[in-house]
Amino acid sequence: MAQVNPIMLISAAQIAMSKNNYEDAIKHLTNLINAFPKVTPSIALIQRCNCYYQIKEYQKSIDDGLAVLNLPDLQLQEEIVSGIKSIHGTAKRRIAESYTALNQPEKAKEYAENIEEIEKNFKDTEASQKLREEGNELYKAGNIEEALKKYKEAFELNKTSEIICGNICAAYLKIEKLDEAEYWVNKSLELKPHWQKGFYRKGLILMKKKEYYKAMEAFNECLLTSPNDTEIKKMYSEVAKLCTEFGLNEQGYPKEIKKGLEELQKGSWVNE
């Protein structure tokens, strides 16, 4: 039987989570947890608990959260839930939120004192998701201004969603309002500092603004989590070439860069 490499599994899970690909992250985290049945990796368990919550597998999120509470408490290097720094605190929050989603408020109260706030947040999140989906349909139909209105309504209900910030960024990018797009992509990265899709969008924006060195830095951040992504590697090498050959004051793009930008803006990364 092949030996499990925990570093590779952790890295694969982190890459998947940076793309919000929670199903793949769960597979890698499960392999890691199963490889060490006698010494359960608590960080992997709380991350899987969160991934289950994100894909609305609420009972599985609860099960992992309860398992975390049976392990020693640890401080998280990066918060999973804003404002909560320990794995026990995170587990209790996700358990309470999951019971709320399952319409079991009495159970939720066992794990959270501020249950009214949690219930309100859950309802607001559900409502914001509906508005976001309506915005996506408008975006696909080419009605960008109306899509923006829906996205901003969604943001007012859920100001901790990097995805909604990303949608707003993508809409502004589509209509060439680059300063606004950059503001919202930076906001998304404040909420999720290692979000690959955020750095990808930032690279596109900075290329359009002819800030080539900064664009190269953004694409480099993408490569840190996905070093073998051919699309990103191509953009990184092309913008590096721009930095070398044309400098910061070059007016206009070489044809191959302009074509690459047009192709990338049609891709799935821009407004997912």
Side-chain angles (χ1 to χ4, degrees), residues 95-107:
I95 292 169
E97 290 171 328
S98 294
Y99 274 129
T100 299
L102 294 172
N103 198 26
Q104 298 182 45
E106 293 306 315
K107 282 281 189 180

Side-chain angles (χ1 to χ4, degrees), residues 43 53-54 68 72 75 81 88 92 114 119 157 160 178 189 212-213 228 260:
I43 299 297
Y53 178 79
Q54 298 297 337
V68 167
Q75 294 294 301
V81 177
H88 279 195
K92 288 178 181 178
N114 56 337
E119 288 174 344
L157 292 172
T160 62
L178 301 182
L189 290 168
Y212 301 133
Y213 286 99
N228 298 317

Side-chain angles (χ1 to χ4, degrees), residues 174 200 204 259-270:
K174 189 75 172 177
Y200 176 88
L204 288 178
K259 182 180 178 182
L261 277 169
E262 290 170 353
E263 289 175 355
L264 284 170
Q265 281 193 269
K266 294 176 184 176
S268 62
W269 277 56
V270 176

Side-chain angles (χ1 to χ4, degrees), residues 180-207:
E180 290 88 342
E182 186 174 8
Y183 171 84
W184 284 99
V185 79
N186 287 337
K187 199 165 189 65
S188 75
L189 290 168
E190 287 174 12
L191 293 167
K192 191 169 185 177
H194 303 296
W195 193 28
Q196 185 179 10
K197 195 174 293 183
F199 279 109
Y200 176 88
R201 289 190 181 110
K202 186 168 184 174
L204 288 178
I205 293 163
L206 291 168
M207 284 190 75

Side-chain angles (χ1 to χ4, degrees), residues 8-251:
M8 288 184 66
L9 288 173
I10 292 167
S11 177
Q14 288 175 335
I15 289 170
M17 286 186 287
S18 76
K19 297 179 178 180
N20 292 342
N21 190 342
Y22 296 109
E23 289 87 351
D24 279 357
I26 286 168
K27 291 176 186 176
H28 298 307
L29 293 168
T30 299
N31 288 337
L32 179 61
I33 291 165
N34 290 343
F36 303 95
K38 293 182 179 179
V39 186
T40 305
S42 54
I43 299 297
L45 198 57
I46 192 60
Q47 288 177 330
R48 191 176 71 173
C49 166
N50 180 60
C51 289
Y52 278 132
Y53 178 79
Q54 298 297 337
I55 62 171
K56 300 186 178 182
E57 291 276 358
Y58 296 122
Q59 188 56 57
K60 290 180 179 179
S61 181
I62 290 167
D63 293 342
D64 275 358
L66 293 173
V68 167
L69 294 179
N70 288 324
L71 299 170
D73 199 6
L74 294 172
Q75 294 294 301
L76 291 162
Q77 289 185 338
E78 186 173 318
E79 294 174 1
I80 293 173
V81 177
S82 179
I84 301 177
K85 300 185 181 297
S86 71
I87 63 169
H88 279 195
T90 303
K92 288 178 181 178
R93 181 59 178 255
R94 285 295 183 242
I95 292 169
E97 290 171 328
S98 294
Y99 274 129
T100 299
L102 294 172
N103 198 26
Q104 298 182 45
E106 293 306 315
K107 282 281 189 180
K109 287 178 184 178
E110 295 178 21
Y111 297 93
E113 295 178 0
N114 56 337
I115 191 63
E116 291 81 8
E117 180 186 340
I118 288 174
E119 288 174 344
K120 182 182 182 301
N121 287 343
F122 178 76
K123 289 177 182 177
D124 285 349
T125 300
E126 291 288 292
S128 74
Q129 178 61 18
K130 185 175 184 298
L131 287 165
R132 177 180 171 267
E133 289 169 359
E134 291 172 3
N136 286 346
E137 291 304 313
L138 289 164
Y139 183 97
K140 290 174 186 175
N143 196 340
I144 308 304
E145 294 290 349
E146 290 302 313
L148 266 171
K149 291 178 183 178
K150 291 291 184 181
Y151 291 146
K152 288 185 176 181
E153 286 180 46
F155 179 74
E156 288 302 312
L157 292 172
N158 185 5
K159 294 187 176 182
T160 62
S161 172
E162 79 282 355
I163 295 174
I164 296 173
C165 292
N167 290 142
I168 297 172
C169 163
Y172 276 126
L173 179 59
K174 189 75 172 177
I175 58 177
E176 300 287 330
K177 291 189 175 182
L178 301 182
D179 289 340
E180 290 88 342
E182 186 174 8
Y183 171 84
W184 284 99
V185 79
N186 287 337
K187 199 165 189 65
S188 75
L189 290 168
E190 287 174 12
L191 293 167
K192 191 169 185 177
H194 303 296
W195 193 28
Q196 185 179 10
K197 195 174 293 183
F199 279 109
Y200 176 88
R201 289 190 181 110
K202 186 168 184 174
L204 288 178
I205 293 163
L206 291 168
M207 284 190 75
K208 280 184 166 289
K209 294 181 79 171
K210 300 182 176 62
E211 297 180 23
Y212 301 133
Y213 286 99
K214 290 181 180 179
M216 186 169 65
E217 290 172 355
F219 287 124
N220 185 59
E221 288 289 336
C222 293
L223 289 173
L224 292 177
T225 52
S226 290
N228 298 317
D229 190 303
T230 54
E231 195 173 80
I232 297 171
K233 284 168 72 175
K234 176 186 173 184
M235 292 308 297
Y236 178 84
S237 62
E238 293 290 2
V239 77
K241 182 180 176 183
L242 275 172
C243 291
T244 303
E245 295 185 9
F246 299 96
L248 292 172
N249 296 318
E250 171 63 18
Q251 296 299 310

